[in-house]
Structure formats: structure tokens, C-alpha cells
């Protein structure tokens, strides 16, 4: 088996008490988190803007190999519904997140379940976004008609990955779609979304899914979003340990095709 680029992380970097011994002091929660995991998803950006200086501070707090995914604001996806948002909301957001510099790897566009696939709207938005940033794009649609061939083709042709989600809004959402170069998993918790802990059987299944996608040549991100009761980090640690055993002896690649870590790296 060749080198596989599988990266585990969580939505946010909070460290619950039950996991504190796995992330020893010193350092902020982000610094401690980044000594173990190579990626994180910033989801607070969905709810409120952060100053560019805040993103710059976060970038300084992590190692050079570390990479961020950032969730696009709901004002764009849920309120404007991808329409008429470029000159104010989108420009402001991009100026902020550019504070991450080269450590910005992915922009996540999560759509509301009520937003169907409309070719003109989708192509207009993603074409506009692609002209304003070189950051890779990932889309998490939740309306059923986003999983039909026309929507899949639109995403694939624009090199936009489609999220594989758990729980799934439709069966097709269980597997990654769109552009095959990046497979992006988001595990929200089941049966209670955001709250439930995953059992070992589910975690083993997630590990196998990531390995299968990596074997096909994709870069793979796995993000646990079941943060409400503090289970995400423990689940990430278990999957990370499983993946480490599977990939033992292989030198991991950094996200987004960056050079491999030097010997002695801590992930």
C-alpha cells in the first residue's frame, strides 16, 4: 500500500476534562490540540465573524504543517442562500480568513436542507467564489436533489468536493462526491446530532471508509462535529489510533500536497 494522506480532526479545538491527559500543558487549547492533530475545522465562523488579527493569532499558535478548514458564514449560505453576497459578505469573510495565510486549506460551504440545487444559482456562486480565492472548496448540501447527476457533475467540474456526512440526509450522502481529489467526512453524532458518542463499531467503519478513499488517491479529512457533549475529541483520538496502526511505517503527507514532515514531527 502506498502513502496515504488521512487527516483526523474536530470542529473546534476545545479539550474536555475527560481528554485533558491526552493534551498536556503547557499551551492554549489550540496549541495543545495542534501537537496531536494536523487539521481542525473552524465552525464558529458560521455564526459570527472573526477579525483577521484573530486568524493571524491562530496561525501563529500552530506548527508549520498544521492546516485549517473554515466554515463559510450562514449569512451567505442560509440567509442570502448563495445569492447577492459577493461584494459585501463574501469579500469581508475572505479578507478575514486570509489571516491564516498558507495554513488555510479548505473552505466549507454547508447548505440548509431547504436549499435545492438550482444550476444557475450554484454555478454563479461557486464560479464567483473560485475567482476570489485559490483555497479548495468543499460543499455539504442537504437537500435531496443535490445528490443527482447534474449537481454531482457541476461540483466535480469545478473541483469542489462534496462532504460525506453522518447521519445522512439521503443515502448517497454517506460517501464523498464531487471532485475526487479530496474526500471530506463530517461526523455529526448519531442518533442525536451533535451530542451522541460514536460506538467502536461506527469508529471502525469510519476508519475503513477513510482508508478506502485514500487508497484511491484522494486526500482524506475526517472531522468529528459531535462536540455538544464533548465526545468529538475522544472519538477523534480513537480513529487516529486506528489509522496510525494501519499506516504504521508510512510517512504521512501534509494536507493540500505540502511537503512531508521532517523526521521527529509529532503527528
Amino acid at each position: 500500500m502506498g502513502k496515504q494522506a488521512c487527516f483526523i480532526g474536530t470542529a473546534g479545538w476545545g479539550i474536555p476534562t475527560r481528554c485533558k491527559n491526552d493534551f498536556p500543558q503547557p499551551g492554549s487549547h489550540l496549541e495543545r490540540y495542534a501537537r496531536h492533530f494536523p487539521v481542525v475545522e473552524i465552525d464558529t465562523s458560521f455564526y459570527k465573524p472573526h477579525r483577521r488579527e484573530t486568524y493571524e493569532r491562530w496561525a501563529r499558535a500552530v506548527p508549520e504543517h498544521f492546516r485549517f478548514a473554515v466554515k463559510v458564514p450562514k449569512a451567505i449560505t442560509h440567509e442570502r442562500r448563495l445569492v447577492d453576497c459577493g461584494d459585501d459578505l463574501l469579500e469581508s469573510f475572505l479578507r478575514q480568513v486570509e489571516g491564516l495565510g498558507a495554513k488555510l486549506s479548505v473552505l466549507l460551504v454547508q447548505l440548509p436542507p431547504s436549499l435545492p440545487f438550482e444550476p444557475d444559482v450554484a454555478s454563479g456562486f461557486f464560479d464567483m467564489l473560485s475567482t476570489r480565492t485559490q483555497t479548495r472548496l468543499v460543499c455539504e448540501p442537504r437537500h435531496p436533489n443535490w445528490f443527482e447527476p447534474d449537481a454531482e457533475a457541476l461540483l466535480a467540474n469545478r473541483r469542489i468536493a462534496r462532504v460525506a456526512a453522518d447521519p445522512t440526509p439521503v443515502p448517497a450522502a454517506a460517501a464523498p462526491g464531487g471532485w475526487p481529489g479530496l474526500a471530506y467526512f463530517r461526523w455529526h453524532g448519531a442518533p442525536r446530532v451533535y451530542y451522541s458518542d460514536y460506538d467502536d463499531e461506527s469508529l471502525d467503519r469510519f476508519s475503513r471508509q477513510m482508508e478506502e478513499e485514500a487508497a484511491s488517491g484522494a486526500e482524506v479529512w475526517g472531522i468529528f462535529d459531535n462536540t455538544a457533549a464533548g465526545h468529538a475529541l475522544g472519538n477523534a483520538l480513537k480513529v487516529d489510533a486506528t489509522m496510525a496502526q494501519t499506516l504504521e511505517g508510512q510517512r504521512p503527507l501534509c494536507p493540500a500536497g505540502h511537503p512531508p514532515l521532517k523526521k521527529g514531527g509529532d503527528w
Side-chain angles (χ1 to χ4, degrees):
M1 186 183 299
K3 295 177 182 175
Q4 298 188 43
C6 291
F7 306 105
I8 309 295
T10 61
W13 49 79
I15 300 175
T17 301
R18 68 174 74 94
C19 294
K20 67 179 182 179
N21 291 335
D22 294 297
F23 300 87
Q25 297 280 3
S28 66
H29 278 209
L30 176 56
E31 289 170 327
R32 294 158 61 193
Y33 172 98
R35 287 197 289 265
H36 190 98
F37 292 111
V39 298
V40 76
E41 182 183 284
I42 298 175
D43 64 346
T44 52
S45 54
F46 180 74
Y47 302 99
K48 64 179 183 180
H50 299 298
R51 296 183 304 160
R52 183 186 178 99
E53 292 78 9
T54 299
Y55 286 106
E56 291 172 347
R57 186 177 74 250
W58 289 338
R60 290 193 301 269
V62 299
E64 285 303 311
H65 68 262
F66 192 89
R67 295 295 178 263
F68 293 87
V70 184
K71 194 172 179 179
V72 171
K74 68 175 181 178
I76 293 172
T77 56
H78 289 54
E79 296 170 13
R80 297 280 182 93
R81 298 170 71 84
L82 308 184
V83 176
D84 296 330
C85 55
D87 292 334
D88 52 356
L89 293 175
L90 188 57
E91 280 297 326
S92 178
F93 169 69
L94 292 176
R95 284 196 300 270
Q96 294 159 10
V97 299
E98 285 168 359
L100 293 172
K103 294 174 183 175
L104 173 62
S105 188
V106 173
L107 293 178
L108 169 66
V109 181
Q110 185 191 57
L111 303 179
S114 63
L115 185 62
F117 173 67
E118 298 177 7
D120 291 343
V121 172
S123 61
F125 174 77
F126 285 116
D127 289 346
M128 174 189 64
L129 182 54
S130 295
T131 64
R132 299 181 187 218
T133 181
Q134 298 300 308
T135 306
R136 296 178 300 174
L137 305 178
V138 172
C139 183
E140 184 178 12
R142 290 179 286 177
H143 189 283
N145 73 352
W146 274 90
F147 300 90
E148 296 174 359
D150 287 349
E152 280 289 293
L154 184 146
L155 294 175
N157 290 340
R158 287 163 174 78
R159 296 174 64 87
I160 300 167
R162 177 175 55 71
V163 164
D166 184 88
T168 61
V170 299
W179 181 55
L182 175 63
Y184 198 102
F185 292 86
R186 298 189 84 221
W187 300 303
H188 300 292
R192 189 182 180 192
V193 174
Y194 307 129
Y195 284 86
S196 291
D197 191 9
Y198 282 109
D199 59 25
D200 288 343
E201 181 179 354
S202 296
L203 298 178
D204 287 343
R205 172 166 50 88
F206 298 157
S207 298
R208 290 194 300 272
Q209 286 180 302
M210 293 186 69
E211 291 164 11
E212 290 169 2
E213 292 297 328
S216 72
E219 178 180 313
V220 187
W221 287 46
I223 300 294
F224 283 94
D225 188 34
N226 52 334
T227 57
H231 293 303
L233 205 57
N235 288 170
L237 286 169
K238 289 182 179 179
V239 171
D240 187 53
T242 299
M243 299 295 293
Q245 290 178 352
T246 301
L247 304 179
E248 185 176 0
Q250 299 184 41
R251 191 179 185 186
L253 299 174
C254 288
H258 290 274
L261 289 181
K262 295 180 180 179
K263 187 175 182 180
D266 54 1
W267 61 277

